Amino acid sequence: MAIQNPYPWRPPYGGPPAPPPRIPAKELRPRRVWYVVAALLGVVLSGAGIAFLVTGVTDAIHSIDTTRSFPSGESRTFRFAEGETKAIYVSQSGRGHVECRIPEMPSGAMTQPRSTFRITVGSRVWERVFEVKSGRSGDYSLTCTSQLPAEFALGDRPRVGATVGSIFAGIGCLFAALASSVTIVVVTAVRRGRHRRRLAAAWAPAPQWGPPPGPGPGPPFGPVH
């Protein structure tokens, strides 16, 4: 029976694995400037979205002259321009019946809109109840009453389409800011990672194979019969 060394020859000598090569950040593509581009694009689009939202809401709020509001049962004189349509707004705690009249105008000058429009200004909710289109410029006395305690005000005819358009444009810009910034950052990071791996593989030293330094392998260990 012979007891032999299971490894009569030593395994190839390669030494400890070499550390991965260090890749300078400036060698990677795309360049890191794209992260700055993503940030700037997000800031610009976000600013545009906020501007659209603020403009839409501000225009709607300023369309009502709340500084010249008057309580139910009282009258207030306003200036009406020929061909211009104005809106009468009411702020009340419920759904009380509202009546308004302008004695100097013909009966067809004041109409009730088919759609509902409400807007909050401060702590009050204003609802459009009538629209007035004067056939002649001049000062007219407006009197309004309600079954409930109420406050009335005259304002511009609401531009619902413009307000809704500004709001949707603002929301769209905010979504575009988020989507574009995230996309640029992710794509840049993925491509730089792939480029790093390619450079690391190209710059890695070739593996060293062969017998270790020193005397060659000796005879098999143990008795041989």
Side-chain angles (χ1 to χ4, degrees):
M1 178 178 181
I3 302 176
Q4 295 185 350
N5 182 8
Y7 303 101
W9 296 280
R10 297 179 183 178
Y13 176 76
R22 182 178 179 274
I23 309 298
K26 65 180 181 179
E27 299 292 336
L28 300 178
R29 299 293 183 274
R31 294 186 179 276
R32 288 180 293 184
V33 69
W34 284 101
Y35 294 129
V36 179
V37 172
L40 292 177
L41 184 61
V43 170
V44 171
L45 289 177
S46 297
I50 294 173
F52 276 119
L53 292 174
V54 171
T55 300
V57 174
T58 302
D59 288 345
I61 291 176
H62 289 170
S63 64
I64 305 176
D65 187 9
T66 57
T67 59
R68 300 193 63 201
S69 63
F70 58 97
S72 174
E74 294 190 5
S75 300
R76 182 63 57 90
T77 300
F78 294 97
R79 180 75 179 179
F80 289 86
E82 180 180 355
E84 182 183 13
T85 300
K86 289 290 187 177
I88 301 173
Y89 295 86
V90 62
S91 176
Q92 55 186 353
S93 57
R95 302 290 300 179
H97 179 69
V98 173
E99 292 185 358
C100 292
R101 58 188 181 90
I102 304 177
E104 298 88 348
M105 285 189 183
S107 59
M110 183 181 300
T111 58
Q112 191 170 7
R114 297 179 180 179
S115 61
T116 301
F117 179 82
R118 295 186 182 91
I119 187 170
T120 301
V121 181
S123 60
R124 284 184 172 273
V125 177
W126 294 90
E127 180 180 0
R128 178 187 56 174
V129 287
F130 295 106
E131 290 184 351
V132 181
K133 185 175 183 179
S134 175
R136 184 179 58 193
S137 299
D139 295 331
Y140 296 89
S141 177
L142 172 63
T143 304
C144 293
T145 58
S146 174
Q147 294 175 334
L148 299 175
E151 195 81 7
F152 291 89
L154 188 69
D156 295 329
R157 184 180 185 183
R159 296 181 299 170
V160 179
T163 302
V164 173
S166 296
I167 293 175
F168 273 106
I171 295 175
C173 286
L174 294 178
F175 273 111
L178 178 62
S180 59
S181 299
V182 171
T183 300
I184 293 175
V185 169
V186 171
V187 171
T188 301
V190 170
R191 294 185 62 182
R192 283 174 66 87
R194 291 176 180 175
H195 194 210
R196 182 188 298 275
R197 289 192 292 271
R198 290 197 300 268
L199 291 181
W203 294 4
Q208 303 294 325
W209 298 96
F221 177 77
V224 178
H225 296 285

